[in-house]
Amino acid sequence: MSEKRWMKSVKAEAANCTTKMPWERGLRRQAMIARRLENDERTSKITLPPLPAFMTLDAAG
């Protein structure tokens, strides 16, 4: 079955996308949240669970 014209344009546009997806920003985002929570003056604190292994592969992010 041949690929439809709209699917080709969707794939081309997806390839041009430079926005980082949440799973690509894992370590950097978690560090930012941790810093924000560290500076929080509230009496009750929120802790973050460790990231799954598949999210920690791209540390350069």
Side-chain angles (χ1 to χ4, degrees):
M1 186 170 172
S2 65
E3 189 172 39
K4 300 287 182 191
R5 194 174 40 187
W6 66 269
M7 182 57 82
K8 287 180 184 179
S9 65
V10 168
K11 287 181 178 181
E13 190 60 34
N16 292 332
C17 181
T18 58
T19 304
K20 293 282 187 179
M21 296 288 113
W23 54 86
E24 295 176 306
R25 301 178 294 181
L27 292 176
R28 188 174 61 207
R29 183 170 188 273
Q30 187 177 29
M32 182 270 303
I33 292 171
R35 280 193 308 272
R36 188 175 62 209
L37 292 174
E38 187 80 21
N39 296 331
D40 196 2
E41 299 297 327
R42 295 182 211 166
T43 55
S44 62
K45 296 287 183 175
I46 299 170
T47 58
L48 298 172
L51 286 174
F54 72 91
M55 294 180 96
T56 60
L57 295 177
D58 185 13

